[in-house]
Amino acid sequence: MFDQDYSKRVWIISIIMAIGAIIMDIALLMGEDGIMKDTVWMTLPLTVYILYKCVQGLIKKIKEEKGE
């Protein structure tokens, strides 16, 4: 997914979704449900990686459009 040529809108939506998932993970981490707390340690690093790659993709797309 990260090597494709998507529009800025797709990158922005992906960033918003990743931020939402991080917020949800943090909320689950502060909660009382033990099973969900255990899954946070698997999903949080993945979500942070997705956020990082989406920000890189957005920056790349902006640079491409600026160069044209």
Side-chain angles (χ1 to χ4, degrees), residues 5 17 22 27 44 46 51 53 59 61 63:
D5 187 28
M17 289 174 52
I22 290 171
L44 189 59
L46 179 64
L51 178 63
K53 293 303 273 187
I59 291 170
K61 189 65 177 179
K63 285 181 182 179

Side-chain angles (χ1 to χ4, degrees), residues 37-55:
K37 277 186 180 182
D38 293 340
T39 62
V40 167
W41 300 115
M42 292 180 279
T43 59
L44 189 59
L46 179 64
T47 309
V48 170
Y49 174 73
I50 291 171
L51 178 63
Y52 171 73
K53 293 303 273 187
C54 289
V55 169

Side-chain angles (χ1 to χ4, degrees), residues 3-4 19 21 28 32 35-39 51 56 60:
D3 296 332
Q4 302 296 323
I19 291 171
L28 288 171
E32 295 179 8
I35 295 173
M36 293 306 287
K37 277 186 180 182
D38 293 340
T39 62
L51 178 63
Q56 278 187 333
K60 179 182 172 186

Side-chain angles (χ1 to χ4, degrees), residues 19-36:
I19 291 171
I22 290 171
I23 291 170
M24 185 177 67
D25 282 342
I26 291 171
L28 288 171
L29 191 60
M30 293 181 185
E32 295 179 8
D33 192 2
I35 295 173
M36 293 306 287

Side-chain angles (χ1 to χ4, degrees), residues 1 6-15 54:
M1 172 192 166
Y6 296 114
S7 67
K8 284 193 303 188
R9 180 178 295 162
V10 172
W11 290 118
I12 292 170
I13 290 170
S14 299
I15 290 169
C54 289

